[in-house]
Amino acid sequence: MKLSPTKWTRPPHTKPSHVGYKPPTLVGNSYLGRCYRSTRDRARVAGLNTWGLAAMNAVGCEQFDEAGLRAIMAANPSERYVVIDLRQEFHGFIDGRPISWVSVENSNWGNVGLALSDVVIKEVEKVNELILNCDGALIVPAYATFKSEPLAPPLVIADVSTARVETEAELVQRLGTGYFRLPITDHGRCSDADLDVLIFVLHRIAAQGDTTAIIHCQAGGGRTTLVMTLYDMLLNARHVKCVDIIQRQLALRPPHVRKAAKPPKNQLRLDMIVEKDLLKRVFYMWGER
C-alpha cells in the first residue's frame, strides 16, 4: 500500500552527513533480554487502553542470540514467526552469538546512504572475511567494553574454521522463521520509501493470522519502539487514540529503559527524535482514515 503525498504531509527526515570517521570495529553483543517486551504482557500496561494490543502478536527486543530467539519463540507460541531486523549497521553471528561492526565515533552511522542491497552485499563480505582471514582462535571484545561501559567478558571462539559463521538472515531462516530487513539509521526514523515497504510487510504479517512479529534493533530502544508503535497504529488507529497508542508502547518497555531515556545533548540527535515523534502523529492521522 503506497502512501500518496497528496493524502498526507510527510515530516522532515534528517540524515547524518558526517559519517565514516574510522573503520568499524568487530565487537560481540550479549543478549540478556533486558529490552524484551511483548504486546501480550498485560501487567506493564495495566490501567491503560489495551484495545487490540494483544492481537498484534508483536515482540520487541535488543539484538538476540540464537538461544534468545528460540526462547522468544517458545514464550510466544504462534503458527508462524517473522523477524523484522531494523539494523542498518553490519552484523552477523558466530556459533549463534551475535557480532557487530560498530564505531563510537560515528554513532553507528557508517552505512548511512547505502541501499539495502549494498548493505547486505558488504555484510556478507565481512562475514565471509572472518572465515577466510581468521586462522584458529578469535577473541572479540564485548560491545559494552568498547563503549567504555561496565566490563563484560569478550566473545572467545576457539577455532573459527570449525565455527558456524552466518548472517542474521541465514540464522533466522535456519530456524524456520521468516525474515525481513528494514535498515533504519540509528537514532532516526525510516525513510519515506522504506515506510511504504514497511506498511506493505506489516499488512501481510497481520493478514496471515497466527503470526508473531519479532522486531529488534541494536539495543531494542528507539528504532524498535518506533516500528512497534507504527504497527499498533496501522492496526488500531481507528479504535484507539494516538496518545493512548504511544503511551502503551512506551509503557511496554522495561522499567530500566524508561528511566534511562533522556533527551540527548547533541542537537542532531534531538532533531532526529523530534522527527520520529512527528512521524508517529502524522502516520496516526493517515491510519485513522
Side-chain angles (χ1 to χ4, degrees), residues 107-123:
S107 302
N108 284 343
W109 291 341
N111 291 340
V112 171
L114 289 182
L116 172 59
S117 57
D118 293 328
V119 172
V120 171
I121 290 172
K122 293 178 181 294
E123 186 172 83

Side-chain angles (χ1 to χ4, degrees), residues 37-39 41-42 44-56 225 228-229 231-254 258 284:
R37 68 269 202 187
S38 170
T39 57
D41 186 347
R42 310 287 291 204
R44 289 183 183 172
V45 291
L48 301 180
N49 184 346
T50 59
W51 196 99
L53 184 61
M56 279 179 60
T225 302
M228 290 188 70
T229 302
Y231 191 20
D232 197 348
M233 290 176 172
L234 187 66
L235 297 180
N236 301 312
R238 294 186 178 183
H239 305 280
V240 184
K241 294 179 180 179
C242 179
V243 65
D244 290 343
I245 290 179
I246 293 174
Q247 185 180 22
R248 69 193 194 182
Q249 287 299 331
L250 293 176
L252 279 174
R253 300 180 305 172
R258 299 198 296 270
Y284 176 87

Side-chain angles (χ1 to χ4, degrees), residues 88-130:
Q88 187 178 60
E89 57 273 18
F90 300 132
H91 58 291
F93 292 83
I94 302 179
D95 283 341
R97 290 172 286 182
I99 55 174
S100 302
W101 285 264
V102 302
S103 175
V104 170
E105 288 84 357
N106 64 15
S107 302
N108 284 343
W109 291 341
N111 291 340
V112 171
L114 289 182
L116 172 59
S117 57
D118 293 328
V119 172
V120 171
I121 290 172
K122 293 178 181 294
E123 186 172 83
V124 170
E125 290 175 353
K126 285 188 170 294
V127 170
N128 289 336
E129 285 174 2
L130 279 179

